[in-house]
Amino acid sequence: MLGTAQYPSPAVLADAFRRSGAGVATVSVRREAGSGNAGQDFWALVQELGVDILPNTAGCHSVREAVTTAQMARELFDTRWLKLEVIGHADTLQPDPFGLIEATRVLIEDGFKVFPYCTEDLVLCGRLLDLGCEVLMPWAAPIGTGLGLNNEYGLRSLRAHFPDVAMVIDAGLGKPSHAASAMELGYDAVLLNTAVARAGDPAAMAEAFARAVEAGALAYSADPMDPRDMAAPSTPIVGKAIL
Amino acid sequence: MDVSHSFTILGNGVAGLTVAAEMTRRGAAVKMIDPAGAPGSHACSWWAGGMLAPECESVVAERSIVSHGRGAAGWWAAQGAEVVRNGTLVVALGRDQGELTTFARRVRNARWLDAEGIGELEPALNDRFGRAVFIPDEAHIDPRASIATLHSSLGEMDVPFLVDGDADGEIIDCRGLAAADRLGDLRGVKGEVVMVRSADVEFSRPVRMLHPRFPLYVVPRGDGVFFLGATQIESGQRGRPSVRSVMELLNAAFALHPAFGEAEILEIGADARPAFPDNLPRIRHDRDRIYVNGLFRHGFLLGPALARMTADLLLHGSRPEAWYEDRRER
């Protein structure tokens, strides 16, 4: 999955999509909307990418704002899919777990397929699943920081507790190695934006991420070894005592 | 030179005026038609920053804008515009130093400055930043004054500025975003700006403050007036600056220098810049006319090169070395 903001141009955005092989594009509705459909030229370019559109509620700080934006998104993009963001802190942009639960409840009742942008908190994620979410989108680190997997233990634990739920690492990835790590944990996908859009060569970075995601997923399916303390040569060393 | 036939330029924003200046300089007969009247606030160039900063811009655009933008300062000076050539200063706040490092790595001809070096260039920023990036070979102009200069010199050459009427000769369509009625791939990218006046702070060159969310550039316009810009939002909406955007610009300015907190707000403006999908301009032959459009945020930087190439094409038949499309054969 790729976000569509911050690219040098829509042409570069399209190149990045082609080379990433991403199947889903997230689109921010709120700011471009202004009044009416002022952003429709850009949205038309995104729709030309030929991938599924996942509108988001980026920048919404309250339940009401998020719900209104979601309804607008449903009309504009003719989809029930929604990446739900309810921002709880203006500086770190971290999710507001309480607002997220409330907005999820309202929107699922209204027929939306909610993809909640959440923290890796096990209890929060459990509640979101109870409400009917079929996909979870936990963060790796705050949006746009590129810090990678901030709490690998938490993400590993989340994966282990809900092995059958589709989970996408959303936010905070900076380098392809971060994406590979996320996939090695058994996550199903990653969502990227800043890491690709703000790279010196976004299209090349998109491809680098694609390869990393593929490598990470393959590694997960290949059941990687666990680390161990004892060195074990893969070729026996003859004639030396090793105890 | 074939100047036996005349040209009608539609639109008197920066694209139309630069083309008109290049055409008339070479002896072509030109008339301007713009239903909004004389050059002014109806064109998005009215709200431009006026930075002739190809190196800085190339960080988020193609390198081609550097070679084609390099001549802009000289061109505007030759038209009688007041061009200040003393570079661009780029700073970032404490925790955004990573942005500055990335920027410095990606921009060419950049020089790192320490606090002392910053103070020497811009005393107002003395002790406010520990380091900065300086790009010496860049310039800035006052867009409105420069537009007025072009307007009056064209007037002196008896170029008519009409609000309607029939086009004579070849049509050069420079209507900016209004030409989206005929150019399906043209879109608007909204920009919001604030003009302020402060007696407490003085800059002699554009200062850019990098930020992951609220980038700012401040361009001094003289007499204590500063241009603060500019947002970049994928929206074709002309006008309607939002509270949030203005708040972000003002916040950023305040963070750059607290004296901006006491500045007087003179104007708040917004318009949408015309852009093609690659955000690069075009000289496009199609059906009954030639379009000069898509200058995006580079009207004053790339207008002169585009105008020169357009005049070379129309008056000498030489194919533009960049950004040219001939769709007449399709």
Side-chain angles (χ1 to χ4, degrees):
Chain A
M1 296 187 181
L2 271 185
T4 54
Q6 305 180 57
Y7 292 80
S9 70
V12 174
L13 162 71
D15 281 348
F17 263 86
R18 270 191 288 277
R19 287 180 67 178
S20 73
V24 176
T26 61
V27 184
S28 159
V29 175
R30 188 169 170 271
R31 199 163 193 195
E32 277 72 18
S35 64
N37 297 350
Q40 62 188 347
D41 288 341
F42 178 69
W43 294 330
L45 289 171
V46 173
Q47 276 164 330
E48 280 171 20
L49 297 171
V51 298
D52 289 324
I53 304 281
L54 176 59
N56 70 35
T57 60
C60 291
H61 288 254
S62 71
V63 173
R64 173 181 286 206
E65 213 180 349
V67 169
T68 310
T69 305
Q71 287 160 344
M72 200 188 332
R74 180 165 59 184
E75 252 175 63
L76 285 167
F77 295 102
D78 193 25
T79 176
R80 293 196 297 148
W81 283 14
L82 179 81
K83 188 190 144 199
L84 178 61
E85 290 185 26
V86 184
I87 299 301
H89 194 283
D91 190 62
T92 64
L93 303 178
Q94 66 192 82
D96 170 358
F98 310 101
L100 184 63
I101 291 287
E102 177 61 17
T104 299
R105 190 184 54 72
V106 173
L107 290 169
I108 285 182
E109 275 175 16
D110 196 14
F112 282 90
K113 294 273 188 195
V114 174
F115 298 48
Y117 166 57
C118 51
T119 64
E120 74 282 13
D121 187 280
L122 206 50
V123 180
L124 169 66
C125 288
R127 295 274 164 82
L128 289 166
L129 294 172
D130 291 345
L131 287 171
C133 291
E134 293 168 34
V135 178
L136 295 177
M137 301 188 74
W139 68 352
I143 296 173
T145 58
L147 291 170
L149 309 185
N150 243 359
N151 179 4
E152 190 178 324
Y153 163 78
L155 290 168
R156 191 187 299 277
S157 161
L158 182 65
R159 180 71 282 180
H161 277 86
F162 303 113
D164 301 324
V165 175
M167 286 196 221
V168 183
I169 295 288
D170 178 5
L173 301 182
K175 297 195 175 81
S177 53
H178 299 154
S181 299
M183 300 304 288
E184 285 168 14
L185 292 181
Y187 280 81
D188 298 284
V190 297
L191 169 58
L192 304 159
N193 193 335
T194 308
V196 171
R198 300 299 280 272
D201 183 342
M205 189 59 79
E207 185 179 330
F209 268 103
R211 294 189 197 180
V213 165
E214 193 183 345
L218 192 59
Y220 178 71
S221 70
D223 190 13
M225 67 171 283
D226 290 306
R228 57 189 177 192
D229 290 336
M230 179 64 198
S234 40
T235 313
I237 299 172
V238 180
K240 290 188 179 177
I242 301 167
L243 290 167
Chain B
M1 187 190 301
D2 174 16
V3 293
S4 57
H5 60 303
S6 60
F7 299 89
T8 298
I9 297 176
L10 305 181
N12 53 27
V14 67
L17 291 171
T18 49
V19 170
E22 273 295 307
M23 300 288 285
T24 53
R25 187 173 70 81
R26 302 175 195 206
V30 165
K31 78 174 179 182
M32 313 288 294
I33 299 180
D34 190 322
S41 61
H42 64 281
C44 70
S45 38
W46 186 253
W47 296 108
M51 291 178 295
L52 305 177
E55 293 293 347
C56 282
E57 291 296 317
S58 75
V59 171
V60 287
E62 282 200 19
R63 266 317 277 178
S64 60
I65 72 164
V66 177
S67 52
H68 292 289
R70 204 171 277 138
W75 191 91
W76 284 105
Q79 308 304 312
E82 193 183 327
V83 178
V84 184
R85 303 172 193 245
N86 57 4
T88 307
L89 189 66
V90 186
V91 297
L93 295 170
R95 70 173 177 178
D96 307 323
Q97 289 302 306
E99 302 286 311
L100 199 57
T101 306
T102 307
F103 184 87
R105 199 172 60 234
R106 292 178 184 175
V107 75
R108 295 190 195 170
N109 306 328
R111 278 208 322 248
W112 278 105
L113 298 180
D114 58 11
E116 193 182 345
I118 297 168
E120 279 169 20
L121 282 184
E122 295 293 351
L125 296 177
N126 207 6
D127 292 333
R128 289 202 54 75
F129 294 93
R131 58 178 202 157
V133 172
F134 179 53
I135 298 97
D137 304 323
E138 298 191 323
H140 67 281
I141 55 175
D142 179 337
R144 296 181 187 177
S146 305
I147 289 286
T149 302
L150 277 191
H151 183 204
S152 70
S153 59
L154 288 168
E156 281 165 20
M157 297 179 79
D158 296 323
V159 172
F161 282 81
L162 310 172
V163 292
D164 56 17
D166 294 328
D168 299 328
E170 280 193 64
I171 298 172
I172 310 172
D173 189 329
C174 303
R175 291 179 295 140
L177 196 53
D181 59 352
R182 301 169 68 111
L183 297 172
D185 52 349
L186 195 70
R187 76 187 197 289
V189 181
K190 185 176 173 182
E192 292 142 303
V193 308
V194 183
M195 304 277 283
V196 301
R197 179 183 281 126
S198 170
D200 305 322
V201 59
E202 204 173 315
F203 292 159
S204 53
R205 56 178 58 71
V207 177
R208 294 181 180 227
M209 192 169 76
L210 306 176
H211 189 280
R213 282 147 72 185
F214 316 123
L216 170 77
Y217 44 82
V218 178
V219 189
R221 289 276 166 84
D223 296 328
V225 175
F226 295 89
F227 168 98
L228 312 178
T231 56
Q232 192 167 308
I233 299 172
E234 287 289 346
S235 163
Q237 191 168 54
R238 307 194 59 179
R240 193 185 173 277
S242 77
V243 168
R244 175 178 157 190
S245 294
V246 172
M247 192 179 70
E248 288 170 359
L249 289 173
L250 294 178
N251 253 335
F254 184 66
L256 175 66
H257 200 298
F260 282 117
E262 295 301 319
E264 174 191 2
I265 295 177
L266 301 175
E267 289 179 68
I268 293 173
D271 208 335
R273 318 153 174 110
F276 289 107
D278 57 5
N279 290 348
L280 293 172
R282 294 286 188 286
I283 300 167
R284 179 184 291 172
H285 253 131
D286 202 357
R287 296 193 295 273
D288 63 335
R289 62 188 65 191
I290 185 163
Y291 295 92
V292 179
N293 210 325
L295 280 155
F296 184 45
R297 47 184 279 160
H298 303 129
F300 289 82
L301 178 65
L302 299 181
L306 216 56
R308 176 184 56 74
M309 289 191 278
T310 304
D312 284 346
L313 174 67
L314 293 175
L315 300 176
H316 307 286
S318 41
R319 188 183 168 88
E321 61 264 29
W323 306 325
Y324 179 60
E325 291 173 351
D326 190 348
R327 295 192 170 187
R328 289 171 299 181
E329 302 302 315
R330 293 186 186 184

